[in-house]
Amino acid sequence: HQTIENGYDKELFNELWHDDYEGYSNSTQKRVKKADLEETMRGCVGVKMHSLEVLYENSEVLVSEWKVTFPTNSARPEGSYTVVEYNALKDGKIIAHRTGMTKTG
């Protein structure tokens, strides 16, 4: 989440996301690779994190809920969102994830 709030940080991004990352975008209905995710993170400059709660975590899974505000000209339409995120972990990094975002303001 630091890679979102503080803008893109390549070192931190590579520390968190597995090289073999593969996900799926609900909004585009397409598979997403690490390079695609990296491009999205670059577009998140100025996002404000309000809260983060880990709902469940072990060595294979991390589930969290966070509340954020996306500014104008960011990766999402401007406004406040609640996000529930499921992360599959491998070698201590995120290998896949799914998110559900609800615009709340």
Side-chain angles (χ1 to χ4, degrees):
H1 300 99
Q2 291 174 350
T3 59
I4 289 177
E5 184 166 277
N6 298 326
Y8 176 74
D9 178 325
K10 186 170 184 68
E11 185 177 322
L12 181 58
F13 179 82
N14 286 323
E15 186 179 311
L16 298 173
W17 300 91
H18 200 283
D19 287 338
D20 295 331
Y21 171 86
E22 187 171 301
Y24 184 81
S25 171
N26 291 324
S27 57
T28 65
Q29 304 295 305
K30 294 181 182 177
R31 292 199 176 278
V32 178
K33 296 289 190 180
K34 185 176 178 180
D36 302 314
L37 185 61
E38 188 172 12
E39 187 62 32
T40 298
M41 293 295 181
R42 290 179 192 267
C44 288
V45 174
V47 173
K48 176 70 175 155
M49 175 82 64
H50 301 287
S51 66
L52 169 65
E53 182 178 352
V54 174
L55 303 175
Y56 181 80
E57 181 178 17
N58 65 25
S59 63
E60 298 175 351
V61 172
L62 169 64
V63 180
S64 61
E65 178 187 79
W66 36 293
K67 297 185 186 314
V68 295
T69 301
F70 283 83
T72 303
N73 299 321
S74 62
R76 294 271 176 193
E78 179 181 11
S80 298
Y81 293 81
T82 296
V83 182
V84 174
E85 183 175 61
Y86 167 87
N87 297 285
L89 307 174
K90 180 179 178 184
D91 305 324
K93 295 183 177 188
I94 301 168
I95 187 90
H97 87 291
R98 298 293 292 263
T99 59
M101 298 180 77
T102 300
K103 194 167 193 279
T104 55

